[in-house]
Amino acid sequence: MDIVADPRDMQERAQQWRAQGLSIAFVPTMGYFHQGHLSLMEYGRKVGDKVVVSLFVNPAQFGPAEDLDRYPRDLERDAALARQVGVDVLFTPTAEQMYPPDYQTYVEVGDAAKGLCGVSRPGHFRGVATVVCKLFNIVMPHTAIFGEKDYQQLVVIRRMAADLNLPVKVVGRPIVREEDGLAMSSRNTYLSPEERRAALCLQRALTAARRLVSARKSSREEILAVVQQVISQTPHTRIDYLALVDPETLAEVPAVRGEARLALAVWVGNTRLIDNALLVESKPCCV
Ligand code: PAF
C-alpha cells in the first residue's frame, strides 16, 4: 500500500488507472479506523480493481466550538489496518493542500442538509459536500462508499452527486455495531465507562421503536414518545433531536408508511452521538 499526500500525485494515479481500464473504489474517512471503516474498505475491495481511502480531518465541517483539535488521530495504526484489508492507496492530504490561503469555493446542498444535524451543526454539510466533491475530483472514483451511520451525510452526498452530474456511484453500507449494540464511531473514544454504558440507550430506543412498528403502532407521535422515554430515563443524556423521516428526502413523515428512517442525535456527557434505523411498515398478516 502506498501513502500519497499530494493531491496532484493522487489525481495522476487515478488518471493512469482509468486509462488502463481499472475501476476505482473510494472510501472517504477522517481516520481513527474501527471495524465500520474496515467493512467499507472490504466492500471497496469487492467492487473496485483499486481501492483508495482518504484520511483527512476536514476543518471545513467542524464548527468553532466543535472537536477539530481533539478529534482522535493515529496515522501509523490506520495505515497498518488499511494495509491489512488490501487498500491500494491511503490518501493523506494536509489542510493547506486542500484549502490553500486563496481558497474560496464551496458546495451547498439545499433541503437535505437543512434539518436533523444541519440544525445543531450549521455549515457542517457545506464543509462535507465541499470536501467530498474535491475528493471525488482528485480520486476520480467509479464507486464511493459511505457508512449509513451518518445517514444524512449519505443523502446529502447522493443529492450532490445527482445535482452536479458527478460520474460516481454513491453506495451506502450498513452500520457496524459493537457486540452490545453501540454504533461504531471514532467519537466513542471520548466516552467515560459510565457514559459508554449510558450510550446504549440509543440502540435501545431504536429497538423499542422497531418493536412498536411490528405491533403496528407506527405514528410519529407513538414512535417518538417511546424513543424519548427510553433516552430520558438514562442518566448523562440530553436529546439533540429525534426525527422520523422519508429515507430519500429526509422530510419529516407523520407515520411509517412503507419505509421510514428514525434518526437520533443524543448528547452523552460532552459527546454528541448519532444513530438511525430503517423502520418498515408491518402489514396485517393472513386474513
Ligand atoms: O464521514 C466522514 O468521516 C466525513 O464526514 C467525510 C465523509 C470523510 C468527509 O470529511
Side-chain angles (χ1 to χ4, degrees), residues 10 153 207 215 220 233 242 272 280:
M10 182 67 247
Q153 167 171 283
T207 307
R220 181 173 176 280
Q233 278 167 355
L242 313 174
R272 185 175 169 281
V280 182

PDB file of all heavy atoms in Angstrom, residues 10 153 207 215 220 233 242 272 280:
ATOM      1  N   MET A  10      -2.045  12.036  -6.430  1.00  0.00           N
ATOM      2  CA  MET A  10      -3.205  11.149  -6.324  1.00  0.00           C
ATOM      3  C   MET A  10      -4.009  11.179  -7.613  1.00  0.00           C
ATOM      4  O   MET A  10      -4.408  10.147  -8.152  1.00  0.00           O
ATOM      5  CB  MET A  10      -4.064  11.594  -5.123  1.00  0.00           C
ATOM      6  CG  MET A  10      -5.276  10.742  -4.856  1.00  0.00           C
ATOM      7  SD  MET A  10      -4.862   9.077  -4.305  1.00  0.00           S
ATOM      8  CE  MET A  10      -5.425   8.099  -5.661  1.00  0.00           C
ATOM      9  N   GLN A 153     -25.590  12.461   5.929  1.00  0.00           N
ATOM     10  CA  GLN A 153     -24.435  12.706   5.061  1.00  0.00           C
ATOM     11  C   GLN A 153     -24.567  11.925   3.750  1.00  0.00           C
ATOM     12  O   GLN A 153     -24.316  12.452   2.665  1.00  0.00           O
ATOM     13  CB  GLN A 153     -23.164  12.298   5.809  1.00  0.00           C
ATOM     14  CG  GLN A 153     -21.926  12.207   4.940  1.00  0.00           C
ATOM     15  CD  GLN A 153     -20.673  12.027   5.762  1.00  0.00           C
ATOM     16  OE1 GLN A 153     -20.184  12.981   6.339  1.00  0.00           O
ATOM     17  NE2 GLN A 153     -20.130  10.835   5.820  1.00  0.00           N
ATOM     18  N   THR A 207     -34.488  -0.027  19.025  1.00  0.00           N
ATOM     19  CA  THR A 207     -35.116  -1.351  19.128  1.00  0.00           C
ATOM     20  C   THR A 207     -36.556  -1.219  19.611  1.00  0.00           C
ATOM     21  O   THR A 207     -37.464  -1.892  19.102  1.00  0.00           O
ATOM     22  CB  THR A 207     -34.303  -2.244  20.102  1.00  0.00           C
ATOM     23  OG1 THR A 207     -32.952  -2.228  19.649  1.00  0.00           O
ATOM     24  CG2 THR A 207     -34.800  -3.669  20.145  1.00  0.00           C
ATOM     25  N   ALA A 215     -45.697  -4.032  16.067  1.00  0.00           N
ATOM     26  CA  ALA A 215     -47.025  -4.173  16.685  1.00  0.00           C
ATOM     27  C   ALA A 215     -48.032  -3.240  16.008  1.00  0.00           C
ATOM     28  O   ALA A 215     -49.114  -2.993  16.542  1.00  0.00           O
ATOM     29  CB  ALA A 215     -46.937  -3.886  18.171  1.00  0.00           C
ATOM     30  N   ARG A 220     -45.893   8.842  14.077  1.00  0.00           N
ATOM     31  CA  ARG A 220     -44.718   9.601  14.528  1.00  0.00           C
ATOM     32  C   ARG A 220     -44.794   9.855  16.035  1.00  0.00           C
ATOM     33  O   ARG A 220     -43.817   9.666  16.753  1.00  0.00           O
ATOM     34  CB  ARG A 220     -44.714  10.918  13.746  1.00  0.00           C
ATOM     35  CG  ARG A 220     -43.583  11.821  14.034  1.00  0.00           C
ATOM     36  CD  ARG A 220     -43.597  12.998  13.074  1.00  0.00           C
ATOM     37  NE  ARG A 220     -42.534  13.890  13.446  1.00  0.00           N
ATOM     38  CZ  ARG A 220     -42.595  14.758  14.428  1.00  0.00           C
ATOM     39  NH1 ARG A 220     -43.712  14.882  15.127  1.00  0.00           N
ATOM     40  NH2 ARG A 220     -41.558  15.511  14.724  1.00  0.00           N
ATOM     41  N   GLN A 233     -34.837   8.400  30.396  1.00  0.00           N
ATOM     42  CA  GLN A 233     -34.653   7.596  31.619  1.00  0.00           C
ATOM     43  C   GLN A 233     -33.168   7.314  31.887  1.00  0.00           C
ATOM     44  O   GLN A 233     -32.819   6.783  32.933  1.00  0.00           O
ATOM     45  CB  GLN A 233     -35.336   6.229  31.452  1.00  0.00           C
ATOM     46  CG  GLN A 233     -36.817   6.242  31.726  1.00  0.00           C
ATOM     47  CD  GLN A 233     -37.481   4.949  31.243  1.00  0.00           C
ATOM     48  OE1 GLN A 233     -36.849   4.094  30.634  1.00  0.00           O
ATOM     49  NE2 GLN A 233     -38.771   4.820  31.510  1.00  0.00           N
ATOM     50  N   LEU A 242     -34.824  14.014  17.667  1.00  0.00           N
ATOM     51  CA  LEU A 242     -35.405  12.717  17.297  1.00  0.00           C
ATOM     52  C   LEU A 242     -36.248  12.999  16.066  1.00  0.00           C
ATOM     53  O   LEU A 242     -37.011  13.964  16.079  1.00  0.00           O
ATOM     54  CB  LEU A 242     -36.354  12.192  18.378  1.00  0.00           C
ATOM     55  CG  LEU A 242     -35.900  12.231  19.832  1.00  0.00           C
ATOM     56  CD1 LEU A 242     -37.058  11.803  20.739  1.00  0.00           C
ATOM     57  CD2 LEU A 242     -34.714  11.310  20.013  1.00  0.00           C
ATOM     58  N   ARG A 272     -21.513  14.103  21.443  1.00  0.00           N
ATOM     59  CA  ARG A 272     -22.782  14.012  20.706  1.00  0.00           C
ATOM     60  C   ARG A 272     -22.732  12.773  19.822  1.00  0.00           C
ATOM     61  O   ARG A 272     -21.852  12.635  18.984  1.00  0.00           O
ATOM     62  CB  ARG A 272     -22.949  15.273  19.859  1.00  0.00           C
ATOM     63  CG  ARG A 272     -24.262  15.392  19.116  1.00  0.00           C
ATOM     64  CD  ARG A 272     -24.291  16.758  18.423  1.00  0.00           C
ATOM     65  NE  ARG A 272     -25.392  16.862  17.489  1.00  0.00           N
ATOM     66  CZ  ARG A 272     -25.385  16.328  16.270  1.00  0.00           C
ATOM     67  NH1 ARG A 272     -24.354  15.648  15.837  1.00  0.00           N
ATOM     68  NH2 ARG A 272     -26.425  16.495  15.468  1.00  0.00           N
ATOM     69  N   VAL A 280     -39.784  -0.425   8.872  1.00  0.00           N
ATOM     70  CA  VAL A 280     -40.583  -0.927   7.750  1.00  0.00           C
ATOM     71  C   VAL A 280     -41.990  -1.231   8.255  1.00  0.00           C
ATOM     72  O   VAL A 280     -42.150  -1.937   9.253  1.00  0.00           O
ATOM     73  CB  VAL A 280     -39.948  -2.196   7.144  1.00  0.00           C
ATOM     74  CG1 VAL A 280     -40.744  -2.687   5.947  1.00  0.00           C
ATOM     75  CG2 VAL A 280     -38.496  -1.933   6.754  1.00  0.00           C
TER      76      VAL A 280
END
